[in-house]
Amino acid sequence: MISRVREHHRYQEFQDFLRQVGKQTPPDLDRRLIVHNHVPHKHGKVKARLARNPLFHLDFTPTFSSWLNQIERRFALVTERAIRRNSLTSVRELKQRFDLFMQRHNADASPFQCVATADSILQRS
């Protein structure tokens, strides 16, 4: 996972994040970013940047999608393992905890795997 904590969620911060992803991944690797339908991801300057960088691909999640559940689960891990039961006195300290968690998590990361079959999921509906 590649993360960045920012105070604002504007297209400028998303542009910075795209630069960070570009620096932290091999230059010939396709980058698929799963993003929600928030305005900064659709800004004209972001679209122009993506057009100049064809190895970047944005996949927009539909509302209430399973991808959102996966993202929420990852944030829950951060909460459980880095934030909960800690007395944090500043945003800076919160960011430090988050960064430390990311370093430790990425050192031994493995993807979430769905073990349910499509039939078992459809039966729950």
Side-chain angles (χ1 to χ4, degrees), residues 58-100:
L58 297 189
D59 295 311
F60 292 93
T61 59
T63 306
F64 306 114
S65 73
S66 62
W67 284 108
L68 290 177
N69 294 336
Q70 290 295 325
I71 293 165
E72 288 174 6
R73 184 64 203 126
R74 297 233 182 218
F75 279 115
L77 283 175
V78 173
T79 301
E80 292 167 7
R81 298 182 184 170
I83 299 172
R84 188 171 288 144
R85 296 189 187 101
N86 288 302
S87 295
L88 305 175
T89 59
S90 67
V91 173
R92 181 174 174 230
E93 190 176 356
L94 174 63
K95 289 170 74 172
Q96 288 172 339
R97 291 274 181 161
F98 184 81
D99 290 342
L100 180 61

Side-chain angles (χ1 to χ4, degrees), residues 12-91:
Q12 294 95 329
E13 286 80 17
F14 189 59
Q15 294 268 58
D16 286 342
F17 180 68
L18 292 175
R19 276 191 285 281
Q20 178 183 1
V21 170
K23 288 178 183 176
Q24 292 184 347
T25 56
D28 58 339
L29 184 70
D30 273 356
R31 292 118 173 157
R32 296 208 78 90
L33 291 94
I34 301 165
V35 298
H36 54 75
N37 287 302
H38 195 56
V39 173
H41 304 139
K42 298 177 180 180
H43 191 278
K45 290 188 178 181
V46 171
K47 287 181 178 182
R49 178 186 194 87
L50 294 172
R52 291 188 310 271
N53 296 282
L55 294 177
F56 277 84
H57 309 277
L58 297 189
D59 295 311
F60 292 93
T61 59
T63 306
F64 306 114
S65 73
S66 62
W67 284 108
L68 290 177
N69 294 336
Q70 290 295 325
I71 293 165
E72 288 174 6
R73 184 64 203 126
R74 297 233 182 218
F75 279 115
L77 283 175
V78 173
T79 301
E80 292 167 7
R81 298 182 184 170
I83 299 172
R84 188 171 288 144
R85 296 189 187 101
N86 288 302
S87 295
L88 305 175
T89 59
S90 67
V91 173

